[in-house]
Amino acid sequence: MQTSQISQRRRALLLAAGASLVVPLAQAQAGEDIVIGGSIPMTGVFAFAGVGINAGIADYVKMVNDGGGIKGRKLRYVPEDTGYKVDASVAAFKKITSQNKVNLYYGDSTAFSKTINPELDRTGNIMMAGASFATELNDPVKYPNQFLVGPDYTEMFGILLRHIAKEKPGAKVAFVYSDSEFGRDPIESSEALAKKLGLSVSVKIMTPAGSVDVSGEVIKLRRAAPDYTIFHGYILAPIPEFITQGKQQGMTSKWMGTFWTMDSSTVMKMGEAGDGFMGVMPYRYYYDTSAKAPMLDKIRQLHPEYQSTAYIQGFLAAMLFTEAAKRTLDAKKELNGKNLKAALNSIKDFDTGGLIGVPITIKGNSIPVGRVYKADMKAQKMVAASDWIAL
């Protein structure tokens, strides 16, 4: 047989095979993995959170797959370490999305979320969540394909201020925050809210992010004599220094923090100074058995040792990714950013298995719910100091 005849025959056979492949190919697409990409800071300054986030996402993905996946499709989690650097995070995103068909993505920072947003808008394929609670991201017009796995920083302040207004009407409040985008984020709008709630902001103190010597600032704080002091834009330092020196100078303020300060292991590092330290937390702590929480029970079965609030955040992000994908597929719609976000925003009175203590409704880009917890140093635990507060 001549070469031209062979090639014609091969072409005919391939065409015939192609025709018979049409149905199986469609089925193959239906059975494609649903990929969650992740820019995860497994090393660097934010590794304490990244390691927990990574484990939380991976555990939930395994749980879903062990239960048969979503409508017969498996979840696949593809993370890359970013060291909490924006350029590394963008490089990770490009690598993961070029090698996989990605519809869901977890980002490691506010800076990355803002940098990658034009790309999310341009391709329209991906819905993203992440470690950031920046108020700026809570804007469905500017960030239509993103959401926050909890309240934004302004909403966190709102939860704390409502708790204060209820506990001590007319109280004096101080804001102590870092000189960073993270630190400044909720300050101006929260001052206005405090006034609305009948509270007075007696002083605002800004310090360098990693400041060590705060003696001058403590004097200012003591003069203002606040009933409550809210710290924001730090993880740990210089909070214990402020509290220790403040107490030594006779201050009777109650001390409070926001999410990234509130992991149990972080607060416990404050030692004696941290006893009674309060703050806002959108999720139940790993060891909180005050009410039924079947998802926490599952986590405790998987890990007999304490899991951080960053772990819970990663776990919940994966749960919401999965729920949005499930609702999109149920509606027989394509998995893309717009459809996934619309599905996420259809979540109303959703039970997270007790990870959040009340059913959640996601209207915009955030979950504006939280609870005030308080440090009990004797028990080495954070205990509830308020009911769940939904804004």
Side-chain angles (χ1 to χ4, degrees):
M1 202 184 278
Q2 290 177 350
T3 313
S4 62
Q5 283 177 305
I6 293 170
S7 57
Q8 278 176 345
R9 183 167 158 70
R10 270 187 70 189
R11 197 177 298 128
L13 282 166
L14 283 168
L15 283 169
S20 67
L21 274 173
V22 171
V23 176
L25 193 61
Q27 285 168 349
Q29 281 176 330
E32 274 176 357
D33 287 350
I34 297 168
V35 180
I36 300 173
S39 287
I40 313 287
M42 299 292 286
T43 55
V45 293
F46 214 56
F48 74 94
V51 169
I53 289 162
N54 183 61
I57 297 173
D59 279 356
Y60 191 77
V61 164
K62 185 179 185 308
M63 218 177 264
V64 171
N65 288 341
D66 288 350
I70 310 171
K71 296 185 87 64
R73 292 172 71 169
K74 293 281 169 137
L75 289 175
R76 186 156 51 85
Y77 173 44
V78 185
E80 285 274 337
D81 178 29
T82 64
Y84 199 59
K85 294 184 173 81
V86 180
D87 54 349
S89 204
V90 170
F93 178 89
K94 287 182 173 164
K95 181 183 168 186
I96 294 165
T97 54
S98 68
Q99 294 174 0
N100 305 272
K101 188 184 172 195
V102 180
N103 295 120
L104 300 157
Y105 202 89
Y106 190 97
D108 61 359
S109 66
T110 303
F112 170 70
S113 295
K114 287 163 72 170
T115 303
I116 213 71
N117 194 59
E119 183 67 9
L120 297 181
D121 289 351
R122 188 184 65 76
T123 65
N125 296 328
I126 294 171
M127 178 173 74
M128 191 168 104
S132 175
F133 295 102
T135 305
E136 187 183 339
L137 300 177
N138 191 8
D139 180 343
V141 176
K142 269 178 82 178
Y143 298 93
N145 300 307
Q146 298 200 44
F147 74 97
L148 313 176
V149 194
D152 69 36
Y153 293 128
T154 300
E155 290 167 341
M156 287 183 197
F157 263 65
I159 290 162
L160 290 174
L161 292 170
R162 279 168 178 78
H163 175 70
I164 292 168
K166 191 178 173 188
E167 192 174 76
K168 188 165 186 177
K172 284 200 288 181
V173 186
F175 295 165
V176 180
Y177 57 100
S178 68
D179 184 4
S180 63
E181 189 181 14
F182 170 28
R184 291 185 294 270
D185 178 322
I187 301 304
E188 207 176 298
S189 52
S190 298
E191 190 174 10
L193 177 64
K195 283 177 184 153
K196 221 180 188 174
L197 292 168
L199 306 168
S200 63
V201 178
S202 57
V203 69
K204 293 183 295 179
I205 295 170
M206 187 167 77
T207 79
S211 56
V212 181
D213 179 16
V214 293
S215 47
E217 282 89 353
V218 174
I219 291 165
K220 266 189 242 169
L221 192 60
R222 191 198 70 212
R223 282 198 198 115
D227 300 301
Y228 296 82
T229 302
I230 301 175
F231 295 99
H232 178 71
Y234 311 104
I235 306 295
L236 186 58
I239 297 170
E241 290 81 0
F242 264 101
I243 298 172
T244 303
Q245 290 182 38
K247 283 181 175 174
Q248 283 166 355
Q249 293 179 33
M251 282 184 70
T252 56
S253 173
K254 288 184 175 179
W255 313 90
M256 296 177 137
T258 51
F259 183 85
W260 290 113
T261 297
M262 286 300 290
D263 185 55
S264 200
S265 59
T266 306
V267 178
M268 296 309 143
K269 280 181 193 141
M270 293 183 191
E272 208 183 314
D275 197 41
F277 184 83
M278 290 189 286
V280 60
M281 179 49 59
Y283 324 123
R284 273 208 178 88
Y285 284 88
Y286 168 86
Y287 44 63
D288 184 348
T289 53
S290 61
K292 273 171 95 176
M295 269 303 171
L296 270 184
D297 290 341
K298 283 184 181 178
I299 290 167
R300 288 190 285 253
Q301 281 161 13
L302 276 177
H303 302 283
E305 69 289 349
Y306 173 78
Q307 296 299 303
S308 69
T309 48
Y311 171 96
I312 305 287
Q313 196 217 24
F315 192 94
L316 183 61
M319 184 191 287
L320 294 172
F321 279 159
T322 302
E323 184 61 24
K326 186 175 166 297
R327 289 179 183 219
T328 305
L329 293 173
D330 280 344
K332 296 190 167 34
K333 288 185 174 170
E334 185 194 341
L335 290 178
N336 61 32
K338 190 180 176 183
N339 292 341
L340 285 161
K341 186 68 194 320
L344 185 86
N345 287 139
S346 75
I347 287 176
K348 195 171 185 288
D349 297 329
F350 177 73
D351 181 5
T352 60
L355 297 183
I356 295 175
V358 288
I360 61 168
T361 298
I362 306 178
K363 290 176 188 150
N365 282 7
S366 75
I367 309 165
V369 176
R371 188 189 212 180
V372 179
Y373 278 86
K374 187 178 186 173
D376 180 341
M377 284 301 170
K378 270 198 190 112
Q380 286 286 290
K381 279 183 179 178
M382 304 300 294
V383 295
S386 80
D387 288 333
W388 289 91
I389 298 167
L391 302 181

